[in-house]
Amino acid sequence: MEDLFKEYALGYAMLRDAIEGLTEEELRFKPASDQWSIHQILIHVTDSEISSTSRLKKVLAEDEPILISFDQDAWANNLGYDLLDREQYLLLFKLLRSSMQTILDNLTSEQSERVGVYVDQGRFTFKQLVEYRVEHVRNHLAQIESVKKAYHDNK
């Protein structure tokens, strides 16, 4: 679990590294009308982290809490992602991840097996939820690389 928590802690740095040196044009480029720009991906990753941090805490604090998913497309389409301050959101992501660090550093094996229940997806342990957070960033880092490639292929 130590490696999992290390990668979780590196999420912000990994996102920062992925966008290092990009121009605003590159950050705002959309490969297709129905695909997100890197800017939008970063806002989404943070919005997801807001919801997930709350879920992680619920699982540790409450007995088998009900966990609610959010509609990522509705958030992206209705919250004006293009208007939101990317730097504020990246800072918020960093703060959310660092706010969990003391909890993770002191987590017991019993706590890692605590369960939360998604009505639409079933039961998940705390450890599985953290694994998903790590995988979520990995997936979006790959998406960022794909958008960067599409941008350069378009030039």
Side-chain angles (χ1 to χ4, degrees):
M1 238 179 355
E2 188 176 322
D3 288 344
L4 176 67
F5 294 163
K6 278 184 185 173
E7 187 172 347
Y8 178 89
L10 290 172
Y12 171 76
M14 293 163 66
L15 289 169
R16 273 281 173 211
D17 288 347
I19 63 167
E20 180 69 30
L22 296 182
T23 66
E24 193 64 24
E25 182 180 346
E26 290 170 293
L27 290 163
R28 299 287 182 160
F29 172 78
K30 293 174 76 171
S33 62
D34 63 340
Q35 294 180 337
W36 290 348
S37 67
I38 293 170
H39 171 88
Q40 291 169 317
I41 293 166
L42 295 169
I43 301 298
H44 160 74
V45 168
T46 300
D47 271 349
S48 181
E49 202 65 27
I50 292 167
S51 296
S52 296
T53 300
S54 174
R55 289 186 210 118
L56 289 170
K57 289 182 174 186
K58 281 179 75 71
V59 169
L60 291 178
E62 302 172 19
D63 290 329
E64 296 201 15
I66 299 298
L67 305 176
I68 308 294
S69 299
F70 77 103
D71 182 341
Q72 68 180 19
D73 292 322
W75 284 45
N77 294 333
N78 298 318
L79 295 179
Y81 273 18
D82 286 331
L83 303 174
L84 300 177
D85 186 317
R86 181 175 58 252
E87 289 302 318
Q88 278 185 334
Y89 271 73
L90 283 166
L91 179 58
L92 181 53
F93 180 92
K94 179 181 180 181
L95 291 171
L96 288 165
R97 285 282 171 110
S98 66
S99 75
M100 287 296 295
Q101 202 55 55
T102 301
I103 293 169
L104 295 176
D105 288 345
N106 293 286
L107 194 74
T108 66
S109 57
E110 293 81 23
Q111 286 174 309
S112 72
E113 296 304 318
R114 289 184 61 85
V115 171
V117 182
Y118 282 96
V119 176
D120 57 342
Q121 299 176 50
R123 300 165 57 84
F124 291 86
T125 65
F126 180 85
K127 181 182 177 194
Q128 288 173 315
L129 293 171
V130 175
E131 287 169 345
Y132 183 78
R133 298 315 315 145
V134 168
E135 190 64 31
H136 188 249
V137 170
R138 282 183 197 159
N139 290 341
H140 285 297
L141 287 168
Q143 185 183 17
I144 287 169
E145 291 307 312
S146 176
V147 173
K148 286 169 30 176
K149 182 181 181 326
Y151 174 83
H152 290 288
D153 288 349
N154 253 358
K155 292 295 166 184

